[in-house]
Amino acid sequence: MNTTKQADVFQAIASPLRRDILHKLALSGDQSITTISEDFAVSRQAVTRHLSVLADAGVVQIHKQGREQICALHADALVQVAEWVSFYRQFWDRKLDAIGDVLDGE
Amino acid sequence: MDVRLDRFYNHPIERVWEVLTTEDKLAQWWQSADFKPEVGYKFTIKDEPQGGWDGTLQGEVLTADQPHTLEYTWHGDQMNNVTVVKWILESEGEGTRLRLEHTGFKGLKDSVIGFFHRSGWGKYLDHLAGQMAAVQA
């Protein structure tokens, strides 16, 4: 998972509604967009938009089943982001930049 | 499950060592540092507080082989386990290749669970824990 992808995941889970959607998928298993929309007091368009953010970040997979679009949680992407290894990779990458700035600034 | 990074700096190895080990240089890339490159020295480094973490990091120097290797334990953050940070410096042409290894990420499962606990994802946590148990079984 590259840094851009991780940033996407962090952004994806920053929204409370998107977290609620993930929560629902985690508890209830795969759901159609119609069912998800019914459970949240927002329009189907809004839910679809949030789901596409989640899908782009790789935390939700959407596939067609007849006329319905079915959403499934892809927890692996979340687990990878939650890992401190990922956190520290970014943390140290910034520190290495800062070391370069200190060296160059003298 | 380690972090390994490396970077080339167009500066001599002694200069890079100085930035890694002297308090006034450390304070330029951390907020502040109580640090000495002596084996057994227990240091405290402060970084910007973020996400409920007060920014304090503590550790003990394990290796200080000027200007080649600096190694210390690393704890005090939200991980609740002790990891090891190792810096390896090598002259490369006119400059220096700096390698960083951050190892010892054990108990990752607990850390992940802790992360979700703090995020208030109690129920999701159960599902996630179940999935991870299945993966490890």
Side-chain angles (χ1 to χ4, degrees):
Chain A
M1 193 185 269
N2 61 36
T3 310
T4 313
K5 195 77 180 174
Q6 283 175 12
D8 289 347
V9 176
F10 282 119
Q11 199 179 10
I13 63 177
S15 150
L17 178 62
R18 289 198 287 271
R19 284 206 298 275
D20 286 345
I21 293 172
L22 291 175
H23 195 166
K24 181 174 165 56
L25 291 174
L27 287 178
S28 312
D30 299 0
Q31 305 266 302
S32 69
I33 290 184
T34 307
T35 310
I36 296 170
S37 306
E38 283 164 6
D39 283 5
F40 294 99
V42 285
S43 68
R44 184 189 166 95
Q45 285 98 320
V47 167
T48 304
R49 198 166 61 240
H50 283 298
L51 281 166
S52 72
V53 173
L54 293 169
D56 286 349
V59 295
V60 162
Q61 289 166 338
I62 303 174
H63 64 273
K64 282 204 167 183
Q65 197 173 80
R67 296 175 60 188
E68 280 290 359
Q69 287 192 295
I70 306 296
C71 307
L73 179 69
H74 184 59
D76 289 0
L78 284 172
V79 173
Q80 282 179 40
V81 161
E83 283 173 355
W84 287 100
V85 173
S86 307
F87 168 78
Y88 270 114
R89 187 168 294 281
Q90 293 184 21
F91 177 86
W92 287 120
D93 200 53
R94 286 197 300 272
K95 289 299 182 193
L96 288 170
D97 288 346
I99 289 169
D101 290 343
V102 174
L103 286 163
D104 292 341
E106 285 167 2
Chain B
M1 286 292 195
D2 302 329
V3 175
R4 286 170 208 279
L5 295 169
D6 78 279
R7 199 66 67 90
F8 175 79
Y9 299 110
N10 202 14
H11 296 275
I13 191 166
E14 288 288 353
R15 291 275 312 287
V16 178
W17 177 263
E18 193 186 12
V19 171
L20 294 177
T21 56
T22 62
E23 289 181 347
D24 66 318
K25 293 288 188 287
L26 283 165
Q28 292 179 40
W29 56 286
W30 302 98
Q31 272 197 339
S32 66
D34 164 7
F35 188 93
K36 285 185 176 47
E38 296 166 4
V39 174
Y41 191 81
K42 291 186 170 62
F43 66 86
T44 302
I45 284 174
K46 290 205 187 277
D47 200 21
E48 306 256 337
Q50 50 182 291
W53 168 55
D54 73 355
T56 305
L57 293 155
Q58 291 177 310
E60 181 176 341
V61 178
L62 301 175
T63 310
D65 174 21
Q66 182 178 354
H68 304 292
T69 313
L70 178 69
E71 186 180 27
Y72 39 73
T73 59
W74 185 260
H75 51 94
D77 56 17
Q78 296 178 56
M79 284 197 309
N80 298 320
N81 71 355
V82 177
T83 53
V84 175
V85 173
K86 186 175 187 180
W87 302 92
I88 300 157
L89 297 75
E90 284 170 51
S91 289
E92 194 175 294
E94 307 259 299
T96 306
R97 173 74 51 188
L98 178 64
R99 293 180 211 285
L100 166 70
E101 297 176 3
H102 193 170
T103 58
F105 291 94
K106 289 173 191 144
L108 259 183
K109 189 175 133 189
D110 292 340
S111 301
V112 173
I113 288 169
F115 173 83
F116 284 107
H117 256 310
R118 285 188 298 276
S119 320
W121 290 20
K123 289 178 188 165
Y124 177 68
L125 164 75
D126 297 341
H127 175 81
L128 187 64
Q131 281 208 337
M132 288 200 294
V135 168
Q136 291 197 339

